[in-house]
Amino acid sequence: MHDPTVIIIGAGASGLAAACELARAGLSVCILEARDRIGGRVFTYPDAACATPIELGAEFIHGQPPEVWKPLEKAKVKVTEVEGESWCVSKGELSRCDFFDDVQALLEKMDDSTPDESFRDFLDRQLPKSATDTQGQTKQHALNYVSGFNAADPSLVGVHWLVKEQKAEDRIHGDRAFRPRRGYQDLIDIFREELGQHRIALRTQCVVESVRWRAGEALVNVREHERPAALLAPRLLVTLPLSLLKARPGQPGAVEFSPPLPQKKLQAAQKMDMGHVIRVVLRFRRRFWDTIAAPFPGALSKMSFLFSQDEWFPTWWTAMPDTSPILTGWAPSRSADRLSRQPESFVIGRSLQTLSALLGESFEDLQHLLERAYFHDWQSDPFSQGAYSYGKVGADGAQETLAAPVANTLFFAGEATDVSGHNGTVHGAIASGYRAAREILQALD
């Protein structure tokens, strides 16, 4: 095999998008992927016993981003909009959620023209402890939203970053959510097919350990199927998750760069953080929530989301409008920290206990109804070490610095490097891959 023009570290959404774009331009590309599969933090679990896709990573298409919609439409993939009703549990009572407008009005008060502050500090200014009970509930719902949707610590995430995210979502109607017919596997398969069409070299179970580089040359040392190897190319695209860019030499998943990456880039990485999430997907024998009597018979038959203040799994959702007997539990931020690195049996048991408390069904009945549980701990996964990124207080410009090429030799992509406000999304990752591909092509002109 001839040395490639570009080596890409990582076969996640950004690496796949960049590889296809570069190959279309006629470049020789080699992708190095540590896992035995492609997709990165997009992970649709194959289960022949279940017609509904089981997502262990990204699940929803947020809004109508062209980076996702265009390839799906071209491949004539059926996409379904999420439908149904949102329910809340408060003080042991089930009721329809009515907090969305109040939370949205509060979020719209965030201002990126004033000095940056944490979201928690912003809330404490807007709704001090002397606020009414209703305002206090709105405050708690807002905290839950930011920690749940962004997997972010409200005491760390910056208001400026949140405002940028909100503006970006508004441009693509991000308040709507969709699912491809076979989950995100549909999108990964589209990339996979293009890899084959362009004969892009893909080397899985290939762990990058170090990069020795100088202007116009990058030597990548790997352990491929437990055997050492080295690859050389004039350009290297790095799509490592933020957590691995921040990892110190010797830590799991860390890649040693020699010479080290510029201090300015490393400082930019420190201004961002990796959100934590634990999710568990539970497949039952039947949709038991359809027959729950309270608050009235059949009330939850159209439930899409279930919100609560539970300290373990505060958010749940169904497959609506698909009527499969599946519930997904979402434990973000500090809830995830409590569950991470626990045995799978503990996480599944804890999720059933939460459902039992929220829906008034006995734990034993839920155990009997459960056919299978699916679980992946992204925090303990050495090649992700977290869910997705967010900007801390003072992170203005951090994504741009993180994304900037080094000596026209090292290039960077991945959702953490997206500069358009779509950090933490599949479409943000894809957009960053296309951006990095353009930079590489310009460097080669």
Side-chain angles (χ1 to χ4, degrees):
M1 173 182 168
H2 297 294
D3 289 336
T5 308
V6 182
I7 294 173
I8 298 177
I9 300 177
S14 60
L16 296 174
C20 293
E21 189 77 359
L22 293 168
R24 291 184 204 116
L27 271 60
S28 172
V29 180
C30 178
I31 309 176
L32 309 178
E33 170 53 51
R35 297 182 174 91
D36 61 359
R37 61 175 181 84
I38 65 174
R41 284 167 281 164
V42 174
F43 185 13
T44 307
Y45 184 83
D47 186 350
C50 184
T52 301
I54 303 297
E55 298 287 26
L56 298 182
E59 177 171 350
F60 300 105
I61 302 173
H62 297 286
Q64 297 171 305
E67 294 85 1
V68 174
W69 279 89
K70 283 185 177 180
L72 291 178
E73 288 177 342
K74 184 177 179 181
K76 298 181 180 179
V77 171
K78 181 181 178 182
V79 178
T80 304
E81 186 162 8
V82 175
E83 297 175 357
E85 300 167 347
S86 294
W87 286 81
C88 287
V89 177
S90 179
K91 298 179 181 179
E93 299 291 330
L94 271 166
S95 63
R96 295 270 185 87
C97 298
D98 59 2
F99 62 84
F100 297 110
D101 289 344
D102 290 338
V103 170
Q104 185 59 37
L106 183 59
L107 295 178
E108 288 175 355
K109 294 181 180 179
M110 294 189 298
D111 187 354
D112 59 356
S113 67
T114 59
D116 202 5
E117 62 182 334
S118 74
F119 185 67
R120 186 176 290 278
D121 286 344
F122 162 78
L123 285 183
D124 287 344
R125 283 196 306 101
Q126 295 292 328
L127 298 173
K129 291 183 179 179
S130 59
T132 66
D133 287 346
T134 300
Q135 290 173 324
Q137 291 175 7
T138 299
K139 182 177 182 179
Q140 188 60 52
H141 286 308
L143 284 168
N144 292 347
Y145 170 76
V146 166
S147 64
F149 186 77
N150 299 289
D153 185 336
S155 299
L156 296 178
V157 65
V159 164
H160 285 193
W161 181 85
L162 289 168
V163 170
K164 186 175 183 179
E165 178 197 52
Q166 273 196 322
K167 291 178 179 177
E169 285 182 7
D170 290 344
R171 289 192 291 269
I172 61 167
H173 309 291
D175 56 326
R176 299 171 66 186
F178 304 83
R179 294 186 184 96
R181 180 179 61 86
R182 293 173 55 246
Y184 265 112
Q185 188 62 48
D186 280 323
L187 185 64
I188 297 302
D189 284 348
I190 291 170
F191 281 127
R192 189 195 307 275
E193 183 177 352
E194 190 162 359
L195 295 184
Q197 290 173 353
H198 293 294
R199 297 183 179 180
I200 296 170
L202 171 65
R203 299 169 71 159
T204 57
Q205 298 184 38
C206 186
V207 180
V208 176
E209 296 183 330
S210 66
V211 174
R212 303 286 182 265
W213 68 278
R214 61 185 179 183
E217 182 180 273
L219 178 67
V220 183
N221 295 296
V222 305
R223 186 161 294 277
E224 187 173 15
H225 300 279
E226 298 304 321
R227 295 180 179 179
L231 297 89
L232 186 69
R235 302 290 183 272
L236 175 69
L237 173 56
V238 179
T239 73
L240 295 170
L242 175 70
S243 53
L244 300 193
L245 286 176
K246 296 174 69 172
R248 296 178 179 177
Q251 291 182 330
V255 176
E256 181 185 357
F257 288 86
S258 180
L261 297 178
Q263 194 64 27
K264 188 176 181 181
K265 188 176 289 288
L266 297 177
Q267 290 171 347
Q270 295 302 323
K271 293 179 181 180
M272 301 179 67
D273 213 345
M274 194 73 161
H276 290 178
V277 163
I278 292 288
R279 62 178 290 162
V280 61
V281 183
L282 306 178
R283 177 159 61 86
F284 295 94
R285 302 180 194 282
R286 59 179 176 83
R287 286 169 53 98
F288 67 88
W289 55 95
D290 283 352
T291 57
I292 291 175
F296 55 87
L300 304 186
S301 62
K302 295 183 179 179
M303 178 177 71
S304 57
F305 284 87
L306 177 66
F307 299 101
S308 74
Q309 304 297 330
D310 184 77
E311 63 179 355
W312 295 96
F313 286 93
T315 302
W316 291 83
W317 60 79
T318 69
M320 286 290 288
D322 187 305
T323 57
S324 298
I326 288 174
L327 288 173
T328 298
W330 184 257
S333 192
R334 294 177 183 176
S335 297
D337 292 340
R338 282 191 288 268
L339 292 163
S340 185
R341 294 175 174 80
Q342 294 283 358
E344 184 172 343
S345 59
F346 176 87
V347 176
I348 294 168
R350 186 61 260 180
S351 70
L352 290 175
Q353 289 171 10
T354 292
L355 274 182
S356 172
L358 296 180
L359 297 179
E361 298 287 298
S362 77
F363 178 79
E364 291 73 21
D365 285 348
L366 293 181
Q367 276 188 314
H368 177 72
L369 286 171
L370 183 66
E371 279 196 325
R372 186 168 178 186
Y374 312 81
F375 167 71
H376 186 81
D377 185 347
W378 292 100
Q379 282 68 244
S380 64
D381 185 324
F383 307 120
S384 62
Q385 298 182 31
Y388 41 86
S389 69
Y390 64 89
K392 297 193 288 189
V393 177
D396 294 9
Q399 291 93 335
E400 287 81 358
T401 302
L402 204 59
V406 177
N408 273 340
T409 304
L410 305 181
F411 298 81
F412 298 85
E415 52 86 12
T417 73
D418 175 70
V419 299
S420 64
H422 293 297
N423 301 124
T425 66
V426 176
H427 54 274
I430 294 172
S432 76
Y434 289 148
R435 183 258 310 149
R438 290 193 299 270
E439 293 169 344
I440 292 171
L441 292 172
Q442 291 168 3
L444 292 171
D445 285 345

